[in-house]
């Protein structure tokens, strides 16, 4: 009984000591909490959000009315072929040509950004302008083309990059060079912006909103299609929703 009481007293004394230490150094704990909170806020603010997208597809083999009964009769003998067709369709869904078609349809060749505060944030489908590029001309990769609009629609575009790598979207050719880009030009929408490693036009998509984004800073970047396909392929997960049905 005395032994248990002594243990309780020791635990009580330990708690008292801990509270005294916290009371003496409370300002350090408060600073640590504030630093963690501010760091979390900054990280969330500067990090581009990522979203999980899911979809279900039903894979069905075509069957004509004249052969439907025969296929039903032979169903038990065709399980292997059906499973093979199912696996083939799963491979097609995750294939490089299909991913490439999706990239082109979603216009992911170029990424658009807008400056908000101290950082640039991606603006997919929300940019007030679009870049119309020459698919048979080399376009500079990993290069930030900074653009700022004036009230009358004119814009100033700047870019500076060394050892430029280029990509031709029409021929799918990627090249490494030792060349530098040092672009600074003022132009109107529709004017051709051209150099050895870029050729494109800027087209306004929201003319009525021009006064709103005048003076704001934007940038865009050409994406390497091979790297983009690889990233999407690595992030893509294809698996059966139910092992007993042809749904992925």
């Amino acid at each position: 009984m005395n032994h248990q009481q002594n243990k309780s007293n020791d635990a009580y004394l330990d708690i008292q000591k801990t509270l005294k230490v916290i009371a003496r150094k409370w300002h350090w704990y408060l600073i640590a909490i504030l630093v963690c909170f501010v760091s979390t806020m900054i990280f969330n603010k500067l990090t581009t959000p990522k979203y999980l997208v899911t979809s279900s597809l039903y894979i069905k083999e075509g069957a004509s009315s004249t052969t439907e009964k025969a296929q039903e009769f032979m169903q038990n003998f065709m399980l292997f072929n059906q499973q093979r067709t199912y696996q083939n369709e799963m491979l097609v869904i995750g294939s490089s040509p299909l991913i490439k078609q999706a990239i082109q349809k979603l216009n992911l060749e170029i990424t658009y950004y807008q400056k908000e505060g101290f950082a640039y944030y991606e603006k997919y489908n929300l940019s007030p302008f679009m870049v119309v590029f020459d698919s048979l001309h080399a376009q500079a990769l990993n290069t930030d083309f900074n653009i700022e609009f004036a009230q009358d629609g004119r814009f100033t575009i700047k870019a500076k990059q060394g050892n430029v790598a280029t990509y031709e979207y029409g021929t799918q050719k990627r090249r490494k060079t030792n060349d530098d880009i040092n672009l600074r030009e003022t132009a109107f929408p529709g004017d051709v912006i051209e150099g050895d490693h870029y050729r494109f036009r800027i087209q306004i998509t929201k003319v009525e909103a021009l006064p709103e984004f005048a003076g704001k800073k934007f940038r865009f970047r050409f994406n390497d299609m091979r790297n983009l396909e690889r990233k999407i392929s690595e992030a893509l997960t294809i698996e059966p929703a139910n092992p007993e049905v042809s749904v992925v």
Side-chain angles (χ1 to χ4, degrees):
M1 182 71 178
N2 292 334
H3 179 68
Q4 291 181 350
Q5 187 175 3
N6 290 334
K7 288 181 65 178
S8 299
N9 291 334
D10 291 342
Y12 177 74
L13 292 175
D14 290 340
I15 294 174
Q16 279 189 322
K17 290 179 181 179
T18 303
L19 292 176
K20 287 180 180 180
V21 172
I22 294 175
R24 286 199 305 267
K25 300 183 178 181
W26 65 269
H27 53 285
W28 291 111
Y29 291 100
L30 179 61
I31 292 173
I33 292 173
L34 290 176
V35 168
C36 292
F37 177 76
V38 172
S39 300
T40 302
M41 293 291 292
I42 293 175
F43 177 80
N44 291 334
K45 185 67 176 177
L46 298 181
T47 302
T48 301
K50 295 182 179 180
Y51 303 95
L52 176 64
V53 180
T54 61
S55 179
S56 297
L57 300 175
Y58 176 60
I59 300 174
K60 181 179 180 181
E61 293 188 65
S64 62
S65 58
T66 56
T67 59
E68 186 174 354
K69 292 184 178 180
Q71 288 184 350
E72 184 178 354
F73 178 77
M74 294 294 293
Q75 185 176 7
N76 293 331
F77 301 97
M78 297 174 63
L79 291 178
F80 177 77
N81 289 335
Q82 291 177 355
Q83 181 66 19
R84 184 175 60 184
T85 301
Y86 175 64
Q87 295 292 338
N88 290 342
E89 291 297 330
M90 290 182 65
L91 292 175
V92 170
I93 293 172
S95 64
S96 180
L98 203 61
I99 293 175
K100 187 179 298 183
Q101 290 180 23
I103 291 173
Q104 294 172 347
K105 190 170 184 179
L106 295 173
N107 298 320
L108 299 181
E109 296 94 341
I110 300 175
T111 304
Y112 299 88
Y113 303 89
Q114 181 179 349
K115 189 174 184 180
E116 297 177 0
F118 298 100
Y120 282 87
Y121 297 94
E122 187 174 335
K123 293 293 180 180
Y124 174 69
N125 268 358
L126 296 175
S127 174
F129 68 95
M130 65 179 298
V131 179
V132 182
F133 61 90
D134 185 349
S135 61
L136 297 179
H137 192 285
Q139 308 293 347
L141 299 174
N142 304 320
T143 301
D144 291 326
F145 290 88
N146 298 284
I147 185 169
E148 185 173 350
F149 290 91
Q151 291 284 350
D152 59 359
R154 286 184 300 173
F155 61 87
T156 301
I157 185 168
K158 304 175 185 177
K160 191 172 184 179
Q161 182 70 30
N163 298 325
V164 177
T166 64
Y167 188 84
E168 292 182 12
Y169 291 89
T171 60
Q172 302 179 14
K173 293 181 179 179
R174 192 184 193 279
R175 295 187 180 90
K176 292 183 179 180
T177 73
N178 295 322
D179 300 337
D180 298 337
I181 289 180
N182 192 1
L183 168 66
R184 182 184 177 91
E185 187 174 337
T186 300
F188 281 96
D191 292 347
V192 177
I193 310 298
E194 184 174 8
D196 292 338
H197 305 301
Y198 53 87
R199 190 174 193 274
F200 55 82
R201 293 182 291 110
I202 302 296
Q203 181 177 336
I204 303 295
T205 56
K206 300 179 180 179
V207 179
E208 69 282 356
L210 182 60
E212 298 179 11
F213 61 79
K216 295 183 179 179
K217 295 182 179 180
F218 300 86
R219 70 171 41 159
F220 62 90
R221 173 180 287 205
F222 289 97
N223 295 319
D224 187 334
M225 296 291 284
R226 296 177 184 175
N227 289 340
L228 190 58
E229 289 173 23
R230 177 179 53 80
K231 290 180 181 179
I232 294 177
S233 178
E234 292 175 353
L236 183 64
T237 301
I238 304 173
E239 57 186 12
N242 187 329
E244 298 181 358
V245 296
S246 299
V247 177
V248 296

